[in-house]
Amino acid sequence: MRALLQRVLRADITVDGVVTGAIGPGLLVFLGVGREDTERDVSYLVDKILHLRIFPDEKGKMNRNLRETSNAILVASQFTLYGSTAKGRRPNFDQAAPPDLARRLYECFLEQAQAAGVKLHCGVFQAHMLVSLVNDGPVTILLDSVEATKEKLDKLKLKTDSSN
């Protein structure tokens, strides 16, 4: 599962001329679901997003997380985060989850974030959305649950190898 985070001063999503979600300061989260993703990936990303220290403290240093700032999240589903451009000129979306799995995990993400007490707004799954934002910083972070898992396994392997 991939999430592209943008720290924003404000952002909104419009579908068919209607604003479906709008926030002031906070995070705009573009959320992509991959074929192999599970609820474990959802839990990892929700936790990471809530605790990522990317908001400024009183000295201007990125040292505060979303929960400490009481800022909001605006979530937009975005399968194009799984676009591969390795071959040819047209992106290939074979690694993106099929719509039924993507919808289930997207909704699971929304439920977990809301259950954590975050002010949450969102777009419309599978809709053509117009997204407006004012990036603050700019601060843009890409999270990938699969990369995080791979990194943890690599560290564990290094630890195991060095003890032998």
Side-chain angles (χ1 to χ4, degrees):
M1 186 171 269
R2 294 177 181 161
L4 180 70
L5 313 178
Q6 295 201 321
R7 189 177 76 187
V8 298
L9 293 177
R10 65 182 176 279
D12 63 70
I13 297 174
T14 303
V15 177
D16 295 329
V18 177
V19 175
T20 63
I23 62 170
L27 289 177
L28 173 58
V29 177
F30 295 103
L31 187 67
V33 180
R35 290 191 165 282
E36 305 297 321
D37 291 337
T38 67
E39 289 184 19
R40 199 164 98 187
D41 296 281
V42 172
S43 297
Y44 168 80
L45 281 183
V46 169
D47 183 68
K48 190 70 159 182
I49 290 167
L50 294 181
H51 296 96
L52 198 61
R53 297 179 348 178
I54 59 174
F55 292 95
D57 62 15
E58 58 282 345
K59 295 179 182 174
K61 183 177 180 180
M62 287 198 303
N63 205 23
R64 297 178 73 206
N65 65 41
L66 188 74
R67 300 188 89 161
E68 293 169 325
T69 63
S70 299
N71 289 340
I73 297 177
L74 178 60
V75 183
S77 60
Q78 189 168 350
F79 76 95
T80 59
L81 287 175
Y82 277 90
S84 171
T85 58
K87 295 180 182 177
R89 301 206 183 260
R90 183 186 315 212
N92 173 316
F93 300 104
D94 288 346
Q95 293 307 307
D100 57 331
L101 173 62
R103 179 184 301 274
R104 185 173 64 77
L105 293 180
Y106 170 78
E107 289 173 357
C108 183
F109 179 92
L110 297 177
E111 289 167 9
Q112 285 190 28
Q114 197 156 31
V118 174
K119 294 179 222 164
L120 181 70
H121 302 269
C122 56
V124 176
F125 186 83
Q126 275 190 313
H128 180 86
M129 295 177 273
L130 301 177
V131 181
S132 299
L133 68 122
V134 175
N135 195 315
D136 181 17
V139 174
T140 303
I141 307 285
L142 179 62
L143 300 176
D144 189 323
S145 62
V146 173
E147 287 297 317
T149 304
K150 182 183 178 302
E151 200 171 292
K152 285 179 185 176
L153 290 173
D154 288 347
K155 284 181 183 177
L156 183 61
K157 184 177 186 267
L158 283 175
K159 204 177 207 181
T160 307
D161 289 348
S162 64
S163 64
N164 290 333

XYZ file of all heavy atoms in Angstrom, residues 23-65:
345
model
N -10.101 20.602 4.008
C -9.416 20.783 5.285
C -8.623 22.075 5.276
O -8.277 22.600 4.216
C -8.473 19.605 5.618
C -7.348 19.473 4.580
C -9.254 18.310 5.766
C -6.247 18.483 4.959
N -8.321 22.558 6.462
C -7.363 23.633 6.652
C -6.003 22.970 6.792
O -5.705 22.010 6.073
N -5.193 23.384 7.752
C -3.882 22.769 7.915
C -3.987 21.269 8.188
O -4.866 20.821 8.922
C -3.294 23.491 9.129
C -4.043 24.770 9.218
C -5.420 24.477 8.705
N -3.089 20.505 7.570
C -3.074 19.066 7.796
C -2.358 18.319 6.706
O -1.399 18.826 6.124
N -2.864 17.118 6.425
C -2.251 16.257 5.417
C -3.249 15.879 4.341
O -4.360 15.423 4.646
C -1.738 14.959 6.053
C -0.520 15.046 6.940
C -0.200 13.675 7.539
C 0.688 15.582 6.178
N -2.823 16.039 3.109
C -3.541 15.477 1.972
C -2.875 14.136 1.704
O -1.659 14.072 1.512
C -3.428 16.395 0.756
C -3.996 15.873 -0.551
C -5.475 15.518 -0.443
C -3.776 16.908 -1.658
N -3.666 13.070 1.747
C -3.136 11.720 1.575
C -3.704 11.112 0.306
O -4.911 10.906 0.203
C -3.500 10.810 2.785
C -2.994 9.390 2.558
C -2.948 11.392 4.076
N -2.834 10.865 -0.666
C -3.209 10.113 -1.864
C -2.906 8.657 -1.532
O -1.761 8.320 -1.234
C -2.409 10.576 -3.078
C -2.707 11.993 -3.480
C -1.819 13.012 -3.173
C -3.869 12.307 -4.163
C -2.080 14.322 -3.543
C -4.139 13.610 -4.531
C -3.252 14.631 -4.222
N -3.928 7.800 -1.573
C -3.791 6.432 -1.105
C -3.966 5.441 -2.241
O -5.008 5.429 -2.903
C -4.838 6.164 -0.018
C -4.737 4.837 0.713
C -3.463 4.784 1.558
C -5.964 4.642 1.601
N -2.933 4.621 -2.460
C -2.981 3.592 -3.498
C -2.906 2.210 -2.878
O -2.141 1.981 -1.936
N -3.712 1.302 -3.400
C -3.757 -0.065 -2.878
C -3.187 -1.009 -3.923
O -3.580 -0.962 -5.093
C -5.206 -0.473 -2.522
C -5.247 -1.898 -1.980
C -5.809 0.511 -1.524
N -2.261 -1.878 -3.491
C -1.638 -2.855 -4.385
C -2.323 -4.210 -4.300
O -3.058 -4.494 -3.352
N -2.051 -5.043 -5.283
C -2.670 -6.379 -5.395
C -2.468 -7.255 -4.174
O -3.312 -8.063 -3.829
C -2.095 -7.128 -6.599
C -2.497 -6.598 -7.915
C -2.103 -7.561 -9.033
N -2.825 -7.191 -10.229
C -4.100 -7.482 -10.468
N -4.780 -8.166 -9.606
N -4.681 -7.086 -11.569
N -1.318 -7.137 -3.531
C -0.955 -8.024 -2.417
C -1.273 -7.418 -1.048
O -0.967 -8.024 -0.024
C 0.540 -8.366 -2.489
C 0.995 -8.960 -3.813
C 0.331 -10.292 -4.130
O 0.150 -11.099 -3.198
O -0.033 -10.503 -5.305
N -1.862 -6.255 -1.013
C -2.078 -5.568 0.256
C -3.168 -6.221 1.098
O -4.097 -6.836 0.577
C -2.418 -4.095 0.021
C -1.233 -3.300 -0.509
O -0.091 -3.742 -0.296
O -1.455 -2.242 -1.123
N -3.016 -6.054 2.429
C -3.968 -6.600 3.391
C -4.268 -5.530 4.441
O -3.693 -4.432 4.411
C -3.399 -7.842 4.114
O -2.290 -7.418 4.933
C -2.943 -8.907 3.115
N -5.086 -5.889 5.403
C -5.393 -4.964 6.499
C -4.155 -4.638 7.324
O -4.099 -3.596 7.971
C -6.515 -5.529 7.367
C -7.850 -5.490 6.652
C -9.014 -5.954 7.503
O -8.885 -5.974 8.750
O -10.044 -6.301 6.916
N -3.168 -5.502 7.297
C -1.907 -5.215 7.998
C -1.221 -3.990 7.378
O -0.663 -3.155 8.090
C -0.996 -6.439 7.938
C 0.093 -6.396 8.984
C 0.711 -7.741 9.156
N 1.931 -7.767 8.364
C 2.662 -8.828 8.171
N 2.301 -9.973 8.667
N 3.762 -8.767 7.457
N -1.279 -3.888 6.062
C -0.704 -2.718 5.382
C -1.462 -1.452 5.775
O -0.867 -0.397 5.986
C -0.754 -2.911 3.862
C 0.097 -4.076 3.407
O 1.318 -3.922 3.313
O -0.479 -5.154 3.149
N -2.783 -1.571 5.878
C -3.617 -0.438 6.285
C -3.198 0.027 7.678
O -2.947 1.218 7.902
C -5.120 -0.821 6.281
C -5.960 0.288 6.901
C -5.594 -1.135 4.876
N -3.112 -0.901 8.619
C -2.757 -0.557 10.007
C -1.385 0.099 10.080
O -1.187 1.071 10.813
C -2.780 -1.806 10.883
O -4.080 -2.337 10.938
N -0.432 -0.440 9.308
C 0.909 0.142 9.281
C 0.847 1.608 8.819
O 1.424 2.497 9.458
C 1.841 -0.654 8.353
C 3.124 0.082 8.071
C 4.163 0.069 9.000
C 3.270 0.832 6.914
C 5.327 0.782 8.763
C 4.435 1.542 6.666
C 5.456 1.527 7.596
O 6.602 2.248 7.364
N 0.141 1.856 7.705
C 0.106 3.219 7.159
C -0.647 4.178 8.071
O -0.211 5.317 8.256
C -0.512 3.236 5.761
C 0.409 2.801 4.635
C -0.286 2.936 3.290
C 1.704 3.608 4.616
N -1.758 3.762 8.631
C -2.500 4.644 9.532
C -1.606 5.034 10.704
O -1.484 6.217 11.037
C -3.816 3.994 10.019
C -4.438 4.797 11.158
C -4.807 3.862 8.866
N -0.962 4.065 11.319
C -0.084 4.350 12.444
C 1.061 5.275 12.038
O 1.387 6.238 12.736
C 0.463 3.040 13.022
C 1.337 3.284 14.236
O 0.797 3.704 15.281
O 2.567 3.068 14.135
N 1.680 4.979 10.911
C 2.819 5.785 10.442
C 2.386 7.230 10.178
O 3.061 8.179 10.587
C 3.394 5.151 9.171
C 4.702 5.736 8.738
C 5.802 5.357 9.693
C 7.145 5.484 9.056
N 8.204 5.080 9.972
N 1.252 7.394 9.503
C 0.769 8.735 9.163
C 0.431 9.537 10.423
O 0.759 10.717 10.525
C -0.434 8.645 8.207
C 0.040 8.156 6.829
C -1.154 9.984 8.086
C -1.070 7.732 5.889
N -0.210 8.900 11.393
C -0.597 9.603 12.619
C 0.602 10.034 13.451
O 0.542 11.036 14.164
C -1.500 8.723 13.479
C -2.863 8.381 12.907
C -3.642 7.519 13.882
C -3.643 9.631 12.553
N 1.700 9.284 13.368
C 2.850 9.558 14.236
C 4.067 10.144 13.526
O 5.081 10.424 14.170
C 3.234 8.278 14.985
C 2.146 7.824 15.903
N 1.226 6.870 15.540
C 1.800 8.237 17.137
C 0.368 6.695 16.534
N 0.692 7.510 17.516
N 3.982 10.335 12.221
C 5.100 10.903 11.459
C 5.319 12.361 11.871
O 4.404 13.184 11.810
C 4.793 10.805 9.966
C 5.947 10.939 8.999
C 6.981 9.843 9.231
C 5.428 10.845 7.576
N 6.520 12.679 12.283
C 6.828 14.026 12.790
C 7.230 14.940 11.631
O 8.417 15.105 11.340
C 7.908 13.941 13.857
C 7.444 13.145 15.048
C 8.438 12.977 16.148
N 9.803 13.353 15.817
C 10.804 13.315 16.667
N 10.608 12.923 17.898
N 12.009 13.657 16.299
N 6.229 15.546 11.001
C 6.491 16.412 9.848
C 5.862 17.796 9.993
O 5.869 18.582 9.057
C 6.030 15.764 8.525
C 4.560 15.441 8.540
C 6.873 14.531 8.219
C 4.036 14.941 7.198
N 5.360 18.101 11.191
C 4.804 19.426 11.448
C 5.761 20.193 12.341
O 6.410 19.610 13.226
C 3.421 19.317 12.110
C 2.382 18.750 11.187
C 2.088 17.396 11.212
C 1.722 19.562 10.280
C 1.142 16.862 10.358
C 0.773 19.032 9.416
C 0.479 17.685 9.452
N 5.866 21.501 12.128
C 6.850 22.281 12.880
C 6.482 22.472 14.351
O 5.309 22.616 14.702
C 6.862 23.628 12.144
C 5.546 23.714 11.458
C 5.131 22.312 11.157
N 7.517 22.462 15.204
C 7.331 22.809 16.610
C 7.505 24.319 16.757
O 7.589 25.046 15.748
C 8.284 22.012 17.510
C 9.761 22.287 17.237
O 10.098 23.288 16.551
O 10.600 21.489 17.695
N 7.589 24.790 17.983
C 7.698 26.239 18.223
C 8.994 26.832 17.670
O 9.085 28.040 17.445
C 7.548 26.550 19.721
C 8.545 25.873 20.630
C 8.226 24.402 20.913
O 7.094 23.943 20.656
O 9.134 23.693 21.376
N 9.999 26.000 17.399
C 11.267 26.478 16.834
C 11.309 26.318 15.315
O 12.320 26.595 14.687
C 12.439 25.727 17.462
C 12.599 26.006 18.939
C 13.748 25.223 19.522
C 13.849 25.486 21.010
N 14.866 24.645 21.639
N 10.218 25.813 14.727
C 10.167 25.629 13.284
C 10.733 24.306 12.799
O 10.771 24.049 11.594
N 11.179 23.456 13.716
C 11.747 22.158 13.358
C 10.615 21.140 13.177
O 9.668 21.106 13.956
C 12.697 21.687 14.472
C 13.389 20.394 14.157
C 14.367 20.021 15.259
C 15.038 18.713 14.913
N 15.980 18.307 15.945
N 10.730 20.296 12.145
C 9.723 19.251 11.936
C 9.846 18.251 13.075
O 10.718 17.376 13.060
C 9.910 18.556 10.577
C 9.490 19.412 9.411
S 9.185 18.521 7.864
C 10.704 17.698 7.554
N 8.984 18.422 14.080
C 9.123 17.639 15.295
C 7.778 17.250 15.899
O 7.747 16.648 16.958
C 9.935 18.448 16.318
C 10.629 17.576 17.317
O 10.879 16.401 17.069
N 10.924 18.139 18.469
N 6.678 17.598 15.250
C 5.353 17.304 15.788
C 4.582 16.430 14.799
O 4.747 16.552 13.591
C 4.596 18.595 16.062
C 5.318 19.431 17.125
C 4.638 20.740 17.395
N 3.416 20.494 18.160
C 2.369 21.296 18.138
N 2.374 22.388 17.412
N 1.297 21.010 18.854
N 3.733 15.580 15.345
C 2.941 14.719 14.473
C 1.513 15.246 14.330
O 1.142 16.231 14.976
C 2.980 13.263 14.951
C 2.331 13.058 16.296
O 1.283 13.609 16.608
N 2.962 12.246 17.131
